[in-house]
Amino acid sequence: QLQLVESGGGLVQPGGSLRLSCAVSGASLDYYTIGWFRQAPGKKREGVSCDSSSDGGVYYADSVKGRFTISRDNAKKTVYLQMNSMTTDDTAVYYCAAVTARGTVAYWGQGTQVTVSS
């Protein structure tokens, strides 16, 4: 059993920054890949970034590469998404998710709203 709770969303101006947090309880971060997803109005949910403990790889969607950074604090059991140089296209509900070794999503957080607007 795993619980994921996102926080840190809100309103930010274009060019600004936000840091999202995903607090994990019920299991070790070592047992899952924790990824960030987002869903904008009228669009499909898309993967944003993930940090795989098994292969050590860090992955980013092309749309956020160079602007977003994923990191973790194992002691706090928290995964972060630092978002810089934000644009209106980054407006979405952001979700963290626990992904199994076989690539299936086992658990979703409830999401946090991010709005980029002047």
Side-chain angles (χ1 to χ4, degrees), residues 11-32:
L11 177 65
V12 64
Q13 295 181 345
S17 299
L18 284 175
R19 188 183 71 165
L20 305 182
S21 299
C22 175
V24 181
S25 62
S28 171
L29 292 176
D30 295 334
Y31 302 154
Y32 298 93

Side-chain angles (χ1 to χ4, degrees), residues 26-84:
S28 171
L29 292 176
D30 295 334
Y31 302 154
Y32 298 93
T33 294
I34 304 298
W36 286 96
F37 298 76
R38 68 184 182 185
Q39 187 165 19
K43 297 183 179 180
K44 296 180 179 179
R45 188 171 298 183
E46 64 175 346
V48 176
S49 181
C50 67
D51 182 9
S52 175
S53 296
S54 60
D55 63 15
V58 179
Y59 304 93
Y60 297 96
D62 288 342
S63 58
V64 307
K65 196 171 300 182
R67 301 187 298 117
F68 291 11
T69 303
I70 191 170
S71 62
R72 67 166 64 188
D73 186 330
N74 287 331
K76 296 181 178 180
K77 299 185 68 174
T78 301
V79 178
Y80 304 96
L81 184 68
Q82 179 67 47
M83 305 184 293
N84 298 325

Side-chain angles (χ1 to χ4, degrees), residues 38 63-64 67-68 85-92 94 114 116:
R38 68 184 182 185
S63 58
V64 307
R67 301 187 298 117
F68 291 11
S85 301
M86 300 185 72
T87 76
T88 56
D89 290 338
D90 296 319
T91 296
Y94 284 72
V114 172
V116 184

